[in-house]
Amino acid sequence: MTSLLYTDKVVIITGGSSGIGRGCAQELVKAGAQVVICCNNEPEGRVAEEALRKASAGEQGGDVFFVYCDVRNSDDIRTLIETTAARYGKIDCLINNAGWHPPHKPIDDFSVEEFRDLLDLNLVSIFTASKFALPYLRQTRGNIINMASLVASIGQYQATTYVATKGAIIGFTKALAVDEATSGVRVNSVSPGNIYTPLWQQAIDAARDPTQYRAEGEGAQLLGRMGCVEEVGRLCLFIASQATFTTGVDHIISGGAELGYSQKSRNEHVREDEYSLVQN
């Protein structure tokens, strides 16, 4: 199979120091892109920058540059965009990846403030980065890729706030794709299912039975395993470099987790009067 190339293209990846963001950075650097990663942890970002640079040695000429950025801060985002444009003279692709999944709990236990904070991190940051990057992306007829989630389409147990943010990302992606079509800027989203990341490992470590918890995570997919961050990265590379007639589309990468009829009820029993409602 011929490797995909994105030679000399300039790509910004928010949350690019770990997890899916780092997987995206790795694949795009290998394809020859000049990749700017950001996160709100300076030591972690520097370590990722160095590791990605070493891993790309001898590849197609790609490089990595780290910029500190807390995506909840609009001034930080503006600095990220302007620093990238000043360093490379252009921006070809923005991957809005930064985000967080809070611990599972019922809506009764979430505060309004917690929901607003998560909206700032997962959703408002995407609006802000897109807004600031678009003047440059219009010049290059570039593209935006927003990281959503499979659960935006199918829901998730005790995750109302997270699912709401990810569903909004898909809606925002489609609306922005409509607006920017005349500028030649494509806007798409990617919805990962269970991808093995450091956050997934934290959940495994915190479980009562880590072995069983991981096995259940693996078994949720038809393919019998979790995805790898590099697989999400290769999908993003394809969207950026090859999917030139694709815009406003949500790309699910889930190993088939959403497919198949199965037991879903969490009720221990169903009352007889509920059956009578159905029969009538």
Side-chain angles (χ1 to χ4, degrees):
M1 177 179 175
T2 303
S3 297
L4 298 179
L5 297 179
Y6 209 45
T7 309
D8 295 329
K9 300 294 187 180
V10 178
V11 183
I12 297 174
I13 305 175
T14 66
S17 63
S18 66
I20 289 174
R22 184 158 172 172
C24 291
Q26 175 181 309
E27 296 305 309
L28 283 152
V29 170
K30 285 168 58 178
Q34 309 298 312
V35 177
V36 177
I37 61 171
C38 81
C39 72
N40 64 348
N41 183 321
E42 179 103 20
E44 179 182 286
R46 294 297 178 193
V47 168
E49 175 187 45
E50 184 63 24
L52 287 165
R53 189 170 287 149
K54 287 181 178 178
S56 67
E59 298 290 343
Q60 303 293 331
D63 194 21
V64 184
F65 182 68
F66 169 72
V67 176
Y68 174 89
C69 177
D70 184 337
V71 296
R72 295 167 296 186
N73 185 318
S74 60
D75 289 336
D76 278 8
I77 295 178
R78 188 186 296 275
T79 298
L80 168 68
I81 302 299
E82 292 180 352
T83 299
T84 302
R87 181 180 177 89
Y88 296 105
K90 63 173 184 172
I91 299 173
D92 296 286
C93 179
L94 168 66
I95 300 180
N96 284 310
N97 167 76
W100 182 61
H101 193 316
H104 295 266
K105 55 186 179 181
I107 191 171
D108 311 77
D109 296 340
F110 281 110
S111 70
V112 174
E113 291 72 21
E114 285 176 323
F115 187 27
R116 286 194 174 118
D117 288 344
L118 193 66
L119 284 167
D120 276 342
L121 174 58
N122 286 6
L123 179 62
V124 178
S125 66
I126 289 179
F127 170 91
T128 308
S130 298
K131 175 181 174 64
F132 293 160
L134 272 166
Y136 302 100
L137 292 168
R138 290 169 186 147
Q139 293 175 15
T140 59
R141 299 177 72 85
N143 71 102
I144 297 172
I145 301 172
N146 297 321
M147 204 61 64
S149 172
L150 173 65
V151 300
S153 302
I154 66 174
Q156 187 179 35
Y157 183 60
Q158 294 191 343
T160 50
T161 60
Y162 178 78
V163 172
T165 65
K166 293 300 182 175
I169 289 169
I170 294 175
F172 172 77
T173 296
K174 293 179 182 297
L176 189 60
V178 172
D179 288 352
E180 292 303 319
T182 55
S183 301
V185 177
R186 295 181 296 111
V187 188
N188 292 287
S189 59
V190 169
S191 283
N194 285 328
I195 306 298
Y196 182 70
T197 64
L199 281 177
W200 238 110
Q201 187 58 54
Q202 289 176 19
I204 292 169
D205 294 339
R208 292 181 181 178
D209 186 336
T211 301
Q212 179 182 355
Y213 191 82
R214 173 155 189 169
E216 290 173 352
E218 302 270 1
Q221 288 69 237
L222 290 178
L223 297 184
R225 64 174 178 86
M226 291 189 233
C228 302
V229 295
E230 293 84 1
E231 291 173 307
V232 183
R234 287 194 287 273
L235 174 58
C236 289
L237 171 59
F238 175 79
I239 294 169
S241 66
Q242 302 296 313
T244 51
F245 197 56
T246 298
T247 193
V249 177
D250 183 49
H251 300 75
I252 292 175
I253 177 166
S254 67
E258 73 279 13
L259 303 177
Y261 183 85
S262 64
Q263 180 68 31
K264 292 183 176 65
S265 175
R266 295 179 181 273
N267 297 329
E268 294 182 4
H269 62 277
V270 178
R271 301 193 312 272
E272 287 194 16
D273 61 341
E274 291 177 330
Y275 280 115
S276 66
L277 287 172
V278 174
Q279 292 167 351
N280 292 334

